[in-house]
Amino acid sequence: MNSQANTAFAATLRKLRNERGMSQYTLARVTDLDRTYISLLERGLRSPSLDTMLALARGLNVSLVEISAAVEASLLAGPPNA
C-alpha cells in the first residue's frame, strides 16, 4: 500500500538524490543497499527502516533530521493541487 508518508518520503529521497546528481545505482553503492530497493523506496512502494534511513542520510550527506523535516513538511503541505 502506498501511504501518504511513503509518498512523501519517496519524493524527498528522489529530490535529494537528484540535487546531488546521483543515480540510483551510485546511491546504492555508497549506502550498500540494492538499487532495486532504492527504486521501490522512490516509488513509495516500501517503507524504510531506521537503519535504511540512516544509511541514506549518510550516503546523501544530509542529516536524518533534514530528511525527516522535508518529509513532514511535504505531509503538512498536503497533496499537490491538480
Side-chain angles (χ1 to χ4, degrees):
M1 183 148 75
N2 195 357
S3 73
Q4 287 179 322
N6 284 355
T7 300
F9 181 82
T12 298
L13 177 58
R14 188 177 315 108
K15 178 179 183 279
L16 291 169
R17 180 180 59 76
N18 285 330
E19 285 175 352
R20 282 148 186 79
M22 297 176 82
S23 66
Q24 288 180 349
Y25 178 78
T26 300
L27 182 57
R29 285 187 46 209
V30 301
T31 59
D32 202 27
L33 297 170
D34 192 88
R35 193 222 40 95
T36 56
Y37 181 61
I38 290 174
S39 174
L40 291 170
L41 289 171
E42 286 192 0
R43 290 184 286 144
L45 300 176
R46 292 289 185 271
S47 297
S49 68
L50 180 58
D51 287 337
T52 297
M53 289 179 66
L54 288 167
L56 290 167
R58 282 191 300 269
L60 293 166
N61 198 31
V62 297
S63 71
L64 185 55
V65 171
E66 185 177 341
I67 293 174
S68 299
V71 171
E72 186 174 35
S74 178
L75 288 170
L76 290 173
N81 293 332

